[in-house]
Amino acid sequence: MKKFAIVIVALLCLSSCKTALDREYHADTLNSDLEVIIARDNMTENELHLFNTYLVNAEINDIDLEGKTYREILEAAKKQ
């Protein structure tokens, strides 16, 4: 039983280390996710601008972002 408890605690610790940027993008939760990302991951105004511009361009060009993490989207935005 002790081993099981230790495994559970270890899994909880590992999952809590995940940042909000590592969440998967979903259009339905974008606003609430961005609030958390800005607050916890200290997204700069410049990064937020790049991110938003990338999202608008993806929407215009019908690019599916579902399944990508916010970090992947931000990195792609920085490359453009």
Side-chain angles (χ1 to χ4, degrees):
M1 186 67 168
K2 281 186 179 181
K3 288 181 182 179
F4 180 73
I6 291 171
V7 169
I8 296 297
V9 170
L11 288 173
L12 289 174
C13 288
L14 289 175
S15 66
S16 67
C17 295
K18 193 175 183 181
T19 69
L21 280 171
D22 294 323
R23 292 181 183 177
E24 284 190 10
Y25 167 84
H26 297 286
D28 297 341
T29 60
L30 175 63
N31 290 335
S32 60
D33 288 344
L34 279 179
E35 288 176 8
V36 174
I37 289 169
I38 292 167
R40 286 185 22 199
D41 294 322
N42 299 319
M43 185 182 269
T44 66
E45 277 188 49
N46 185 49
E47 289 174 327
L48 183 59
H49 177 73
L50 289 171
F51 186 85
N52 286 332
T53 302
Y54 188 85
L55 288 179
V56 170
N57 286 334
E59 182 70 28
I60 290 169
N61 295 312
D62 200 30
I63 298 171
D64 184 21
L65 298 176
E66 294 287 330
K68 291 187 178 187
T69 66
Y70 289 101
R71 182 179 311 281
E72 291 171 334
I73 294 169
L74 180 59
E75 292 304 317
K78 288 179 179 180
K79 291 179 183 177
Q80 286 188 342

